[in-house]
Amino acid sequence: MPNFKILLLFLTMLLPMWSMATHNRAGEITYRHLGGFQYEATIITYTKSDSPADRPELGISWGDGSLDTIPRINGSGQGVIVSGTIKRNVYVGVHTFPGPSVYTLSFEDPNRNAGVVNIPNSVNIPFYVSTQLVINPFLGINNSVQLLNPPIDEACPGQIFIHNAGAFDPDGDSISYRLLECRGENGLIIPGFGQPQASSFFSIDAITGDLVWDSPLPSGLGEYNVAFIIEEWRRGILIGSVTRDMQINVVPCTNIPPEISELPDICVDAGTELSLTVTATNPDNTPPQSLTLSATGGPFLFPMPGQAEFVTATSSTGFVSQQFSWATNCSHVRKQPYVFSFKAIDNGNPNLATYKSMRIEVVAPEPENLIAEIVAQGVQLSWDLSPCNQASGYALYRRAGNFPFDPGPCETGVPAFTGYELLANINGYATNSYLDLTQGLLPGNSYCYRVIAVFADGAESYTSEEICVQLPETLPALTNVSIRETDVQTGSVFVAWSRPDDLDTNFYPGPYFYSIERKNEDSGVFEEIALNEGLNDTTYIDTSGALDTRNSKKTYRISLFAGDLGGETLVGSSAEAESIFLSALSSDNEISLNWNEQVPWNNNLYVIYRRSPGISDFDSIGVTETNAFSDTGLANGVEYCYRIKSIGAYSASGYVNPIENWSQEVCNSAQDLEAPCAPMAEISVSCDSLNSLISWIVDNSDCYEDVVSFKIRFIAAGKTDTLLLSEPLVNDPSSLVHEPGESLAGCYLISAIDSFMNESNSIKLCADNCPVYELPNTFSPNGDGINDFYGPFPYAFIESVDFKVFNRWGLELFKTKDKDIFWNGKFNGETLPDGVYYYICIVNEIRLEGIIPRKLTGTIQLFSVSQNKGN
């Protein structure tokens, strides 16, 4: 930045009139990519045409240490008049950056215009704006937003003011808006800057970019400058920003702004020709005023065909209407909607404008004619190419079983609630086929598919129609892994499977046998436990080995072999399936059941069975579609036993339906393991009686319902040991008087205990001492036995003192650290003469936070005759 200021000084020497008059009112920097690391930057400023401080060129800092002066390219030295005496100046420069990085482009002009209300001494404050350029090859090429509406507007006191910059992102990135403070020298916030005062609020809509001032104060006439930043986001990452500094002129008004008809957000299919009527009216059309209706938006800039059309219309009747049309096509498809900004301006005193925005999303139509064919390796899928050749590829989705889904307007892609899961991302517009391999597909099951077109910016088309196929039954499919007996050594499991009715017996000639395989719980490897001969014997009851069905799940697989034993050929294996494994967790009057299983079919319902004490049979107590159930209202300490029955089916026909399986049996008892709430308590300290009164109460909430006693502990100040004041106290009494001894300082911990001896968190209450140490102002050490020694009265809660006595010349006569002092009025063995003496006493008080010193000073009147103690 120092080099930039040297550049500005040099340019100022070339153009001495720059600092002589008011100047910059609004502006921003935008950029576009030219190729490689080369970018073109455009500075746009707005100035008064009659200002002598004209700028035929401006200085720019590129953010990489490079500085340039760039020329104005519009107008013959005077820019282009955009409104009244305000001119628009355009400066363009080209720069090649050294490589990927984040660069801040900026320019600083020595002068703003004079008299800006919310910028103190504005004529001497530089005008500064910046723009962030991110060069990141992983995010792709980026061009900044373009701001299509000029940043000079007028507002009226007491009336809502709305401005929209008309930002358009040519890359289709997501943009957001937020307010900033105006910047001055070196890009720092201008001292004393404040956002315009409003009767209600001043803000900017983060999504639409509507800058709303509701509303200028009647006393707030004049020119205001405000700034906001427009940030670009790609895949959730900030990839650039543009800051605009704009000016709003609040002027006396004799009219009110025009009104524009409601403009709904719209979603259209690419290829649809959109046409709608936009109208504006003047609410106070007396006398009649002319209205001008115009529009800005990125699609107006597109070359034909596909360019949006809206011809600026003017009417003198206070009512104007114009047709907006847009023949959309596939080149308009993008993730972010297009924003169109419509502006109505009257010719009143002053000219007032109203903005209204409309968002239009262009969506690609779905790929058509999705076909699924069963082949030896799996399912072969193909579809017509997307009608939009701008697509970068396709996304293929699959689910077991069908799910009818008719997307609504703008409901693109395949929503998660359909149960479809992403199967594959396919790169390339021309790649319109995919082989879904048999691995992961279960014979006999029905599988459904959908495909969408995807675009480079993340846009998605509508989904295709659903297509479903049913795989042939060429392998066995497990249907039952059900626990028959629950035991740690003599458990029993019923295993069943379906016969492979579509087996190619010519390719795999018999004889046939099944290998029943169980997964070793330690190694995770399947081991053969039995053989069934023939294709029709499809059940097995597993009791092999010391089978523990109580503490672990059991997982099985069926393998089919063809040929004689010893020369057999593996046809294939079923998908594995495991038994339902149930757990039961106890809590207060409740047992929570949770279970899990991995099976190739779909379990859609579970029935919960319970055996109560004294009853031999299980009874159904509920059903659920989830893998959890809470049995409530139970008696604590009583054992209950549970089993779960699952009910499910394969998505295809031809299998056992419903498929029912049982979990193991689990028993538990409800127990109160939850601590009660901490009691509400208070403490009252009596320093006279040297005791503390601790009292507590409980309310009627559930967490107190079985509280039976309380525990009170005491920790003396400066100690770490906890003293239990008593055994747990029953609910009545609900208070305790404690006499800790010489010091009251310490903390009490009070907790509640329920009927199951669960203890709550402790509430902590602390007591402090009330130290007192009073010294008399007279004493008479004359040996008569009355008031012969000087000492404190009364005193309490004192650890020690540092006491010293001085005469009027500052000579120390006596000192002690004894808190009783016990001075006899003598110095060097001789009784001191009558008179006034002075003391300094540091009193070390015993407090909750420790020993705290306190300084006392005063006088002592010494008498040779007996006197009563006084204060």
Side-chain angles (χ1 to χ4, degrees), residues 210-498:
D210 283 345
L211 181 72
V212 181
W213 188 355
D214 184 11
S215 52
L217 301 177
S219 60
L221 299 178
E223 294 171 328
Y224 294 80
N225 270 75
V226 299
F228 54 89
I229 187 171
I230 306 168
E231 295 174 313
E232 302 174 74
W233 306 86
R234 185 175 299 174
R235 299 195 291 275
I237 300 173
L238 181 68
I239 60 166
S241 65
V242 171
T243 298
R244 164 173 274 190
D245 190 321
M246 70 168 292
Q247 190 167 90
I248 307 168
N249 190 15
V250 181
V251 296
C253 293
T254 58
N255 66 330
I256 60 178
E259 295 178 353
I260 299 176
S261 58
E262 287 299 318
L263 298 173
D265 292 341
I266 299 173
C267 189
V268 298
D269 295 347
T272 301
E273 184 168 353
L274 179 66
S275 180
L276 58 90
T277 301
V278 182
T279 62
T281 57
N282 193 353
D284 60 339
N285 198 40
T286 304
Q289 297 179 8
S290 68
L291 285 178
T292 299
L293 183 62
S294 59
T296 57
F300 292 124
L301 309 177
F302 290 169
M304 297 294 286
Q307 185 176 28
E309 295 183 357
F310 188 88
V311 179
T312 299
T314 300
S315 171
S316 60
T317 64
F319 174 88
V320 63
S321 177
Q322 185 59 282
Q323 202 71 13
F324 166 78
S325 61
W326 188 16
T328 64
N329 57 55
C330 285
S331 67
H332 301 139
V333 173
R334 70 179 197 180
K335 185 177 180 63
Q336 296 300 320
Y338 295 88
V339 178
F340 292 86
S341 177
F342 295 88
K343 177 182 179 181
I345 185 169
D346 63 23
N347 69 337
N349 182 21
N351 299 344
L352 294 182
T354 293
Y355 293 83
K356 187 155 287 188
S357 298
M358 178 175 65
R359 294 156 62 90
I360 300 177
E361 184 175 351
V362 181
V363 180
E366 70 277 9
E368 295 183 337
N369 298 320
L370 175 61
I371 298 173
E373 297 179 311
I374 298 172
V375 296
Q377 300 94 335
V379 178
Q380 180 66 56
L381 298 151
S382 62
W383 56 92
D384 291 350
L385 294 176
S386 169
C388 295
N389 60 14
Q390 294 82 359
S392 61
Y394 304 89
L396 193 63
Y397 291 81
R398 183 185 73 193
R399 63 161 281 147
N402 71 310
F403 186 90
F405 169 61
D406 185 17
C410 280
E411 195 172 11
T412 60
V414 182
F417 69 80
T418 63
Y420 273 90
E421 296 181 352
L422 179 65
L423 174 63
N425 283 310
I426 301 165
N427 294 323
Y429 166 76
T431 305
N432 60 336
S433 65
Y434 181 81
L435 177 61
D436 188 12
L437 296 174
T438 303
Q439 182 179 4
L441 298 177
L442 302 177
N445 252 345
S446 173
Y447 291 96
C448 298
Y449 298 86
R450 290 180 182 270
V451 66
I452 63 171
V454 296
F455 295 77
D457 71 339
E460 299 176 330
S461 74
Y462 290 112
T463 179
S464 69
E465 294 289 336
E466 180 180 67
I467 187 71
C468 300
V469 295
Q470 182 171 336
L471 297 183
E473 299 176 39
T474 57
L475 291 173
L478 278 162
T479 56
N480 293 92
V481 177
S482 185
I483 305 299
R484 297 176 74 245
E485 297 290 338
T486 301
D487 194 86
V488 295
Q489 283 192 320
T490 61
S492 173
V493 183
F494 173 68
V495 183
W497 56 95
S498 68

Side-chain angles (χ1 to χ4, degrees), residues 670-687:
Q671 299 180 40
D672 183 2
L673 302 176
E674 298 180 10
C677 297
M680 294 174 286
E682 61 182 14
I683 188 170
S684 175
V685 176
S686 173
C687 291

Side-chain angles (χ1 to χ4, degrees), residues 32 63 131 145 207 309 313 371 412 426 660 713 718 720 727:
R32 67 186 183 98
T131 285
V145 295
I207 298 174
E309 295 183 357
I371 298 173
T412 60
I426 301 165
E660 298 182 348
R713 288 159 290 171
T720 57
E727 292 300 320

Side-chain angles (χ1 to χ4, degrees), residues 770-774 792-798 843 845 854:
C770 326
V772 59
Y773 195 77
E774 296 187 8
F793 182 82
Y795 79 86
F797 309 116
I798 305 301
V843 182
E845 300 175 339
R854 180 165 62 97

Side-chain angles (χ1 to χ4, degrees), residues 3 23 48 161 184 218 317 397 400 496 674 721 758 803 810 855 869:
N3 291 337
H23 194 63
K48 263 268 183 105
F161 167 84
T317 64
Y397 291 81
E674 298 180 10
D721 296 335
N758 298 306
F803 179 82
K855 185 177 181 180
K869 280 187 178 181

